[in-house]
Amino acid sequence: PVVMNGNVYVYGAGVEGRLAAYDAQTGAEVFNESIVTGFVFRDYMAATLDAIYLAEGGDLLIVDPSDGSVIDRRTDEYDGAVALDGRGGLYAHNGDALEAFGMLIPVELSEFVVE
């Protein structure tokens, strides 16, 4: 789960790929949206105050934390964890590669290999 903006965000729910938000004080549901087609194997999320990032079922998604709507979606072979760094970078696993987006400082990943 991710806790921010006074809400608790949870992601998962098997074949529906649901992202839900609950008020952290009262437990009241803020939203509960089906955002991914296909089975959700993992529930990894990364977040900023204005976006939630997740990858599953081949999609890399950017979701609005206020209402659960999908702001942007890239479709390829995305799955697993996503990560953010302190410089504006978003990292996502795509097939056999690690992709970086939104870097403020150019980073060369062509030599980056994990075995």
Side-chain angles (χ1 to χ4, degrees), residues 4-82:
M4 67 176 188
N5 300 333
N7 294 324
V8 178
Y9 299 87
V10 293
Y11 171 61
V15 296
E16 295 182 9
R18 301 193 77 80
L19 177 66
Y22 300 91
D23 184 282
Q25 295 295 317
T26 67
E29 185 177 277
V30 176
F31 64 79
N32 189 333
E33 297 292 327
S34 180
I35 59 172
V36 175
T37 303
F39 194 83
V40 175
F41 292 100
R42 301 165 193 91
D43 60 353
Y44 306 124
M45 293 183 287
T48 62
L49 292 177
D50 59 354
I52 297 172
Y53 303 88
L54 51 96
E56 192 61 64
D59 293 339
L60 174 62
L61 297 134
I62 303 173
V63 179
D64 186 329
S66 68
D67 62 9
S69 63
V70 176
I71 298 169
D72 196 7
R73 177 188 306 258
R74 291 178 185 239
T75 300
D76 202 342
E77 295 181 29
Y78 295 103
D79 65 357
V82 293

Side-chain angles (χ1 to χ4, degrees), residues 60-115:
L60 174 62
L61 297 134
I62 303 173
V63 179
D64 186 329
S66 68
D67 62 9
S69 63
V70 176
I71 298 169
D72 196 7
R73 177 188 306 258
R74 291 178 185 239
T75 300
D76 202 342
E77 295 181 29
Y78 295 103
D79 65 357
V82 293
L84 297 166
D85 68 21
R87 298 180 180 178
L90 169 67
Y91 304 89
H93 179 257
N94 184 4
D96 293 329
L98 174 65
E99 291 189 6
F101 302 93
M103 299 298 298
L104 299 178
I105 300 171
V107 175
E108 180 60 53
L109 294 177
S110 63
E111 307 262 339
F112 182 79
V113 178
V114 177
E115 296 191 27

